Amino acid sequence: VLELARQTGADAIHPGYGFLAEEADFAQMCADAGIAFIGPPADVIADVRSKIDTLEAVAHAGFSTPPHSEASFGVDDWPLMQAAAQDLGFPLVVKSCRGGRGRGERVVSSPDELAGKLDLAPREAKMIYGDDSMFLEKVIAPSHHIAVQILADHHGSIVHLGEREGSLTRHNQKLLEEAPAPSLLPEQRERIRQVAVEIVRLLKYVGLGSVEFLVDKDSNYYFTEIKARITIEHPVTEMLTGIDLVAAQIRIAAGEPLGIAQEDVRLHGYAMQCRINAEDPWRNYLPSPGALEAFRLPGGLHVRVDTYGYVGCQIPVRYDSLLAKVAVWGETRLQCIQRLRRALEDFKIVGVQTNLPVHVHILNDPEFIAGKYDTGFMWRHKMGIASADEIMRRDLAVAAAVAFVMRDDVSRPVTPAHLQSGWRRSSRTIPG
């Protein structure tokens, strides 16, 4: 990447929201080459990338964090990990000290599961991050995943751009995210936003970032991590605030001041985003690679689709299954739900299986519509989506019914116009 930047004379590199975005060594290589890294400085990335150190720093400052082991463990520290697990109690989660995006993370429900999970989690972390050090954290469930979006420049200015709720997850990946968070009361909302700003100031963070919290059933909140990058869900915040987050990243990387104060940030309406993955919900969400035979994007007012797809595009099996992001905005939460549901129903993808039916099912669920959901939603509800065979049988039944009505209409005797009912004549002139 650096060599390409040199060849093209690039002034800066934006690493996107992939693993490169949180690679401190790469950020330092860019700085050494005189090329701006559009993200936090290398030392900031290194500081917050160490999950256990960040948790300890925040906890020592008096903020609440989930109960966790005070040290990290290597693969040879089995006796120490076992003792720490017994002290914390079950259920707990084994986490990568370098991790994010749910990789290198396993939930352990009982002591009997510990050995197996401690074999799998470090192996995945080593493959993804090149580091197999782990720590343990007490599971807080059910809970709500809350992320506060912040901007911090090199001149000491920090603003928050509201929060998002991402409690609907599968395999630790957020499926649907919305803002503002329906689970928070007004006073909770204001407090958690201010705490996020205080934590950012404590850690001397610079750049765009997401301060992540878990909120339990008693409304207690716990800081979990800072994501030192732009996240997949950034369109939600952009639609709610009207602020271009990538443009803000570029200004910060160029050393410019934010140019906005907290009172300038206006949060208006509601926004939601669905992550559309190329995976098969009817086969335990196996990846669904292949060529896109049809790809029709939804449109309409306040509908945004971010995608790399097009007709003929090859969906690979080797990379993340994310195919598209569908985001919408509405004046009210109900309007936002209705708009997102219509957009998903209009989204036509042929050639690979996707999780579109799962999202439609969620949006039709009364618990979600009422905003009364948490991290246990996906476990409590069986996603009642029709199988591929059921959808085919339904479509065939509809086609047969339409064919029968058309055949019946053709075979019916035609009544002269002057003998037809006035209601019948007028009904044929009404559009639609």
Side-chain angles (χ1 to χ4, degrees), residues 45 58 82 115 151 164 178 183 188 238 254 274 279 322 364 406 411-412 415 418:
I45 296 174
V58 171
Q82 197 172 27
L151 287 169
R164 301 182 297 262
E178 65 172 303
S183 61
Q188 296 170 326
E238 291 181 337
C274 287
E279 56 190 14
L322 179 64
N364 284 315
M406 293 178 65
S411 62
R412 185 178 299 152
T415 304
H418 69 280

Side-chain angles (χ1 to χ4, degrees), residues 118-284:
L118 284 176
D119 178 52
L120 292 173
R123 193 185 309 168
E124 182 182 19
K126 182 70 173 179
M127 179 180 66
I128 299 296
Y129 308 112
D131 186 339
D132 58 9
S133 57
M134 313 298 293
F135 72 99
L136 307 178
E137 186 176 282
K138 182 72 174 175
V139 168
I140 298 174
S143 60
H144 298 273
H145 278 295
I146 305 296
V148 179
Q149 186 74 73
I150 60 93
L151 287 169
D153 64 20
H154 291 273
H155 309 280
S157 297
I158 304 171
V159 299
H160 73 75
L161 305 180
E163 82 291 337
R164 301 182 297 262
E165 175 146 358
S167 300
L168 298 182
T169 63
R170 194 190 70 79
H171 287 178
N172 301 314
Q173 278 194 339
K174 297 178 178 70
L175 287 179
L176 187 151
E177 198 146 346
E178 65 172 303
S183 61
L184 298 179
L185 296 173
E187 59 272 17
Q188 296 170 326
R189 192 184 315 280
E190 186 57 33
R191 180 56 185 154
I192 205 167
R193 291 171 177 175
Q194 289 307 314
V195 167
V197 172
E198 292 170 22
I199 290 174
V200 165
R201 197 176 301 281
L202 167 72
L203 298 176
K204 297 181 174 58
Y205 186 86
V206 175
L208 173 75
S210 294
V211 186
E212 307 260 318
F213 297 89
L214 286 177
V215 181
D216 68 15
K217 58 183 177 62
D218 298 317
S219 298
N220 302 307
Y221 54 86
Y222 306 87
F223 166 80
T224 58
E225 65 175 328
I226 290 184
K227 290 182 177 173
R229 57 182 169 84
I230 196 166
T231 61
I232 285 176
E233 300 80 21
H234 71 93
V236 173
T237 299
E238 291 181 337
M239 297 184 93
L240 203 65
T241 63
I243 295 174
D244 185 328
L245 297 188
V246 177
Q249 281 187 294
I250 294 172
R251 285 195 297 271
I252 293 172
E256 297 181 9
L258 290 181
I260 56 171
Q262 191 61 63
E263 56 268 23
D264 299 321
V265 178
R266 296 287 182 264
L267 305 171
H268 177 56
Y270 295 77
M272 294 181 180
Q273 177 184 285
C274 287
R275 183 193 298 235
I276 309 304
N277 294 331
E279 56 190 14
D280 192 341
W282 304 288
R283 298 180 63 198
N284 197 28

Side-chain angles (χ1 to χ4, degrees), residues 420-432:
Q420 289 181 12
S421 158
W423 286 108
R424 182 175 177 83
R425 288 197 303 272
S426 62
S427 68
R428 290 183 180 273
T429 64
I430 297 175

Side-chain angles (χ1 to χ4, degrees), residues 63 80 109 122 156 163-164 261-262 287 297 318 320 325 357:
F63 298 101
L80 295 175
S109 300
E163 82 291 337
R164 301 182 297 262
Q262 191 61 63
L297 301 180
R318 295 179 180 272
D320 191 277
K325 303 182 300 183

Side-chain angles (χ1 to χ4, degrees), residues 283-345:
R283 298 180 63 198
N284 197 28
Y285 294 91
L286 285 173
S288 182
L292 295 180
E293 300 169 13
F295 196 67
R296 184 188 67 206
L297 301 180
L301 189 64
H302 302 305
V303 175
R304 166 177 170 174
V305 182
D306 293 9
T307 183
Y308 67 89
Y310 55 89
V311 174
C313 175
Q314 290 289 331
I315 308 302
V317 71
R318 295 179 180 272
Y319 303 104
D320 191 277
S321 60
L322 179 64
L323 173 58
K325 303 182 300 183
V326 181
V328 305
W329 178 90
E331 287 279 356
T332 65
R333 187 172 183 271
L334 181 58
Q335 184 188 63
C336 194
I337 291 172
Q338 292 170 338
R339 186 165 284 161
L340 182 54
R341 186 190 299 133
R342 179 195 59 76
L344 295 179
E345 290 171 347

